[in-house]
Amino acid sequence: MKRLLQILGVISIASVTASADQRFVRGDVNCDGVVDTTDALAYSDFFEFGSPVPPCLKTSDVNADGIPLTSADLVYLLRVINGDVATLPPPFPFCGTDTLDVECEVSCCPSPRFIRGDIDCDGAVDSADIIAYESFFTNAVLPPCQKTTDVNADGIPLTNSDLVLLIRYINGDDSTLPAPYPECGTDTSDISCEATCCTPEKCSCAFQADPDSSSGIDSADLSVMIDCVYFACNPMPQEVYCPGPQMDFNCDGYVDSVDLAEMVDHVYFAGPGPCNPCDCALYPVNCP
């Protein structure tokens, strides 16, 4: 227990690796994909109870002044939630990046999954995608995920050469397209994609907070969590949607110090139990 409290008592922002490439939604402090009252509560818990810092500090720089976790940020967040302010600085309400020198340990947004050439995001590459592509040139209507339009995978979306390749493929002149195709996947390009075109793969995780698989949550589970969160268990369960093995206590898609703190509260102080992933939109699990 002494070791546990020593670990939980250390909050080192400086140890977090900064990255301008991490994707997030400004104001989404708890990284659940929505800016709402739960983010204000997470922010308040940091000030009042010394709760762990957010997994991505960029989310807490609500007013985009380059200084995270300030009372001014919390006031701004509350005003937006209450409707006194219409919006937040980008990236908001969709995932994105910024260039401010604020730490971000993990991305709060899963990489958008898509099928190359599936312009209308219906799961198939066919003549309807040609029509959708041509609507951009005639009506300047952007597709929901511009990554789908980079048909030749050269990093430049919405070009004539992309349209030509798409037509050639659909007419049978070319046998395939660059990955991700024909299955859903991701790529490393910087092309905008505000909405994923693919439903995440399903996983079975009906009891998401039992690290030692003992059908209960106790101090033994905490020991496993500590080793994974602070000493990099192998493999480290960081994959979004199915982050197991059974360690995502709050169903936010990540296994981190927030889950550990909430589990401590549950085991030792009769705090709330783990979320049920079957009730969480982030987990399209195979629920009974």
Side-chain angles (χ1 to χ4, degrees):
M1 182 65 181
K2 182 178 179 181
R3 178 188 178 212
L4 172 63
L5 294 177
Q6 287 174 335
I7 292 173
L8 292 178
V10 176
I11 300 176
S12 177
I13 297 175
S15 67
V16 181
T17 302
S19 174
D21 297 329
Q22 298 288 26
R23 300 173 69 247
F24 69 102
V25 176
R26 195 173 304 282
D28 182 21
V29 181
N30 60 4
C31 276
D32 66 353
V34 181
V35 177
D36 55 21
T37 54
T38 61
D39 297 296
L41 290 173
Y43 220 127
S44 299
D45 285 347
F46 171 78
F47 288 114
E48 293 184 26
F49 307 111
S51 297
V53 297
C56 177
L57 277 175
K58 286 179 177 287
T59 63
S60 69
D61 182 18
V62 181
N63 58 10
D65 64 355
I67 307 174
L69 291 171
T70 66
S71 56
D73 290 311
L74 177 55
V75 170
Y76 197 162
L77 179 60
L78 288 170
R79 294 190 65 193
V80 170
I81 293 172
N82 291 333
D84 300 326
V85 177
T87 188
L88 294 176
F92 177 86
F94 299 110
C95 289
T97 62
D98 71 8
T99 58
L100 296 173
D101 188 19
V102 178
E103 314 287 357
C104 190
E105 183 179 7
V106 295
S107 172
C108 286
C109 304
S111 298
R113 301 174 70 248
F114 68 101
I115 298 174
R116 197 173 302 280
D118 182 21
I119 315 299
D120 58 4
C121 280
D122 67 352
V125 178
D126 51 27
S127 58
D129 296 297
I130 296 177
I131 296 173
Y133 214 128
E134 291 175 339
S135 70
F136 165 75
F137 292 104
T138 57
N139 304 315
V141 177
L142 290 173
C145 178
Q146 293 183 44
K147 286 178 177 283
T148 63
T149 70
D150 183 21
V151 183
N152 58 11
D154 64 355
I156 306 173
L158 296 166
T159 65
N160 285 324
S161 58
D162 289 311
L163 178 57
V164 169
L165 178 56
L166 180 63
I167 293 173
R168 284 178 55 84
Y169 168 74
I170 291 173
N171 289 338
D173 299 323
D174 283 282
S175 59
T176 190
L177 296 176
Y181 178 86
E183 302 297 332
C184 288
T186 62
D187 71 5
T188 58
S189 71
D190 294 328
I191 300 171
S192 173
C193 187
E194 295 184 344
T196 183
C197 287
C198 301
T199 301
E201 295 179 2
K202 291 186 176 182
C203 58
S204 296
C205 39
F207 191 58
Q208 193 65 26
D210 183 19
D212 65 355
S213 299
S214 63
S215 299
I217 304 174
D218 52 28
S219 58
D221 296 293
L222 288 173
S223 296
V224 177
M225 284 284 287
I226 290 170
D227 285 338
C228 278
V229 171
Y230 291 102
F231 302 102
C233 67
N234 188 24
M236 180 60 183
Q238 284 282 3
E239 184 180 355
V240 178
Y241 301 122
C242 298
Q246 299 174 319
M247 298 188 191
D248 188 12
F249 196 89
N250 59 7
C251 289
D252 66 353
Y254 298 96
V255 176
D256 52 26
S257 58
V258 178
D259 297 295
L260 180 55
E262 292 185 6
M263 189 178 288
V264 168
D265 185 49
H266 172 67
V267 172
Y268 291 106
F269 304 104
C275 68
N276 180 359
C278 294
D279 297 328
C280 180
L282 182 64
Y283 288 93
V285 296
N286 296 325
C287 298

